[in-house]
Amino acid sequence: MSANDDNEVLAAEYVLGTLDLEERAQAQRLVMNDPAFAAAVTRWERRLGELNVLVAPVEPPPAILTKVKARMAGVEPPADEAPQPVTETAGADSAATAAAAAPPRPPRPVAPAESADIIDVTRRLKRWRGLAIGTGALAAAFVGLVVAREFRPDLMPQPLKPPVLERTVEVIKEVPSPKPARYVAVLQREAASPAFLLTFDLDKRVMMVRTVGAERQAGKSYELWLVSSKFPEPRSLGVIGGEEFTERPQLASYDAVTINQATYAVTLEPEGGSPTGAPTSPVLYSGKLTQTTPPSFAEPSP
Amino acid sequence: MAGAQSGMLTPGELVWLVSAVAKGDDAAFDRLYAATRAKLYGVVLRILRRANLADEVMQDTYLRIWRNAGAFDADRATPITWMVAIARNRALDVVRKKRETSIEEETSAMEVASDDPSPLARHEMTDELKRLLACLGDLEEERRRLVLLAYYSGWSREQLAAKFDTPANTIKTWLRRSLLQIRECLGS
């Protein structure tokens, strides 16, 4: 069992990328010679490979396709790093193909972030890191945590932005602003059953609630609460509508730190929401804003 | 132009493209490249941090995709996780061999940006991703960061140990427990 686990962990670490050069070579030999190990690697590639969606796409230089094509045809291009524009004389067919597949895109320099912005980001990240898990007795009862956030993407170097969540937001609702700060939280009870997806536009203090897995209950309404150590009682963020998407402007009255650090909880209340203004049922789902992308982007490395 | 040419590609369309590429369909290869290049470049650039290295790895990756498309198994991978695995593997080989590519070397490669969402981006919040995120959410905060940092930046245990100011053996233990926990949580 332990030997199995050892191989399993080796396969997982190989895929994760934490092995050193020698260990990688060892794993690669096993992939070639041990079908069970190779299968374990394939499973891990699929498991962890989903994380790719959180990586920002970056447009590669057009010359890459040209070089790949040349190598596909068995012609190694000269080791010339300068991107070569496809010329009319390169042969009409290949030129047309290359142009169609990789429209030339001029390099677009990323404007360096103002240093003040960097400091701001770093501070905020530190706050995130220091975020206390517990926000009182109610929080202690919360089960699942998490998910994803997009952290002031406008202040990050372009390739480091986790863009997908932003796009998720776009799917959820057309938010016109190009790149506001957005955060996402998944409210869940069990690991495998996210019930609500919260999306925050911090600049506008608007929150979008998407019902993912929660069942409608006749005569009842789901109500969303903000739980913060700053307030003695949970604050209602309103009833989550019957639609798949519910827009919530109530966050406007809270500051960014509170929004960042709060726990979001859902209870099942009488239809129309809690009559008392306080939760009348146990917390069904809860979650916090936390990052799945490394927070170290804006920090100096060790 | 890219959008008009490739449109929105579903996972099913990608599977179809990969199988066409396996038969040597050059035009299918172009479409596959157009649909996936920005994602793969983003992945390898994060790990390599240098445009010249990323360019080489991209070439190797797509050449391998061209040659090995026949080995793609839709039962065991999705096209994009398969392609990302090839790209990351190649990038990790390169970065491990280049010891001088240290973690201090942050971002000189970050020159070219895309504000044009790749065709893949629109339908990316898959059920698989939701499950994985949920399982990651069950890890302690620090271990979650460890796993994600390793995945996205391609850092070795040694580099992670420096980053987390923790002995490499402890990192190894954390990784082991976290990965086994993820496997158990995913139940597959």
Side-chain angles (χ1 to χ4, degrees):
Chain A
M1 188 62 207
S2 178
N4 279 348
D5 275 357
D6 284 350
N7 257 8
E8 181 71 15
V9 171
L10 183 67
E13 276 206 72
Y14 174 62
V15 172
L16 187 61
T18 45
L19 301 182
D20 65 27
L21 191 58
E22 279 173 29
E23 292 166 325
R24 279 188 69 76
Q26 183 203 346
Q28 281 161 350
R29 279 194 297 275
L30 281 172
V31 167
M32 302 291 286
N33 300 318
D34 180 348
F37 185 82
V41 166
T42 303
R43 284 194 297 272
W44 277 106
E45 282 173 351
R46 180 160 200 177
R47 285 181 192 125
L48 298 177
E50 293 297 329
L51 289 172
N52 84 77
V53 303
L54 299 175
V55 177
V58 180
E59 189 61 36
I64 290 177
L65 181 64
T66 316
K67 291 176 190 167
V68 171
K69 290 280 193 176
R71 287 173 69 181
M72 278 162 59
V75 187
E76 295 288 330
D80 179 6
E81 285 306 310
Q84 298 292 325
V86 179
T87 59
E88 295 298 320
T89 55
D93 281 349
S94 67
T97 313
R105 176 184 290 274
R108 197 175 287 116
V110 177
E114 297 296 322
S115 58
D117 291 342
I118 291 170
I119 290 162
D120 179 47
V121 168
T122 309
R123 277 202 199 122
R124 292 233 229 161
L125 288 167
K126 290 209 168 114
R127 277 207 296 273
W128 276 78
R129 182 127 356 108
L131 200 158
I133 302 286
T135 51
L138 187 50
F142 296 165
V143 202
L145 272 190
V146 182
V147 159
R149 69 69 168 104
E150 186 174 43
F151 189 82
R152 294 306 305 268
D154 44 329
L155 300 183
M156 282 187 185
Q158 186 84 19
L160 301 186
K161 291 177 196 171
V164 169
L165 301 175
E166 177 191 320
R167 303 227 171 81
T168 306
V169 176
E170 286 164 8
V171 173
I172 288 169
K173 189 96 178 181
E174 268 71 41
V175 180
S177 165
K179 282 189 167 111
R182 288 198 182 96
Y183 300 76
V184 176
V186 170
L187 304 192
Q188 61 194 65
R189 183 160 42 181
E190 289 151 14
S193 60
F196 297 98
L197 188 65
L198 307 189
T199 313
F200 297 80
D201 181 331
L202 194 61
D203 291 347
K204 295 194 211 134
R205 300 276 201 281
V206 168
M207 175 175 56
M208 201 70 60
V209 186
R210 178 177 183 181
T211 308
V212 180
E215 301 281 333
R216 294 286 304 153
Q217 305 256 356
K220 301 272 190 182
S221 298
Y222 288 108
E223 188 159 356
L224 182 66
W225 305 89
L226 179 147
V227 185
S228 166
S229 55
K230 295 185 176 178
F231 310 120
E233 302 287 336
R235 300 286 184 96
S236 176
L237 294 174
V239 168
I240 300 169
E243 304 288 311
E244 189 184 356
F245 307 116
T246 308
E247 193 169 320
R248 292 271 144 229
Q250 280 93 331
L251 280 178
S253 53
Y254 299 98
D255 65 82
V257 176
T258 305
I259 292 170
N260 284 355
Q261 300 191 348
T263 297
Y264 297 87
V266 171
T267 60
L268 195 59
E269 301 292 339
E271 192 152 28
S274 163
T276 66
T280 64
S281 83
V283 170
L284 288 179
Y285 308 100
S286 69
K288 269 176 115 123
L289 300 173
T290 185
Q291 67 275 8
T292 58
T293 40
S296 60
F297 299 152
E299 297 176 286
S301 291
Chain B
M1 283 186 294
Q5 197 243 337
S6 50
M8 246 202 299
L9 293 186
T10 64
E13 285 171 311
L14 285 175
V15 170
W16 184 86
L17 279 181
V18 172
S19 62
V21 168
K23 292 177 194 128
D25 184 334
D26 205 57
F29 179 84
D30 288 349
R31 289 184 60 203
L32 188 64
Y33 181 83
T36 56
R37 63 184 180 210
K39 173 60 74 182
L40 261 55
Y41 196 61
V43 167
V44 301
L45 203 53
R46 279 294 312 265
I47 293 173
L48 295 162
R49 299 180 182 279
R50 297 211 329 232
N52 60 338
L53 296 179
D55 287 9
E56 279 173 33
V57 165
M58 282 288 278
Q59 290 180 48
D60 293 348
T61 298
Y62 278 96
L63 207 58
R64 204 166 290 196
I65 288 165
W66 170 248
R67 289 176 182 157
N68 293 354
F72 170 73
D73 180 350
D75 292 335
R76 296 194 300 164
T78 65
I80 195 65
T81 58
W82 175 69
M83 294 171 76
V84 163
I86 292 173
R88 283 187 81 252
N89 243 330
R90 186 73 197 123
L92 287 163
D93 281 344
V94 168
V95 86
R96 285 290 171 276
K97 278 171 193 159
K98 298 232 173 220
R99 308 215 95 182
E100 76 269 26
T101 308
S102 71
I103 51 180
E104 280 80 24
E105 211 175 305
E106 276 297 324
T107 54
S108 61
M110 311 309 179
E111 307 141 349
V112 190
S114 159
D115 46 23
D116 191 13
S118 87
L120 276 174
R122 295 180 207 289
H123 38 75
E124 282 179 313
M125 196 73 174
T126 60
D127 289 344
E128 286 83 0
L129 177 65
K130 285 183 206 162
R131 277 207 299 278
L132 178 62
L133 291 177
C135 291
L136 285 166
D138 284 349
L139 299 178
E140 286 167 36
E141 167 72 19
E142 193 164 50
R143 301 191 185 181
R144 179 164 62 239
R145 284 184 57 223
L146 182 76
V147 169
L148 293 167
L149 208 48
Y151 182 84
Y152 289 120
S153 302
W155 285 2
S156 65
R157 288 195 297 260
E158 206 174 297
Q159 288 169 314
L160 291 165
K163 172 78 187 173
F164 283 75
D165 197 18
T166 301
N169 270 342
T170 308
I171 296 287
K172 186 167 184 167
T173 307
W174 286 359
L175 283 171
R176 178 187 182 91
R177 288 188 189 148
S178 302
L179 290 162
L180 291 174
Q181 187 182 331
I182 288 169
R183 183 185 64 167
E184 189 176 344
C185 172
L186 288 172
S188 62

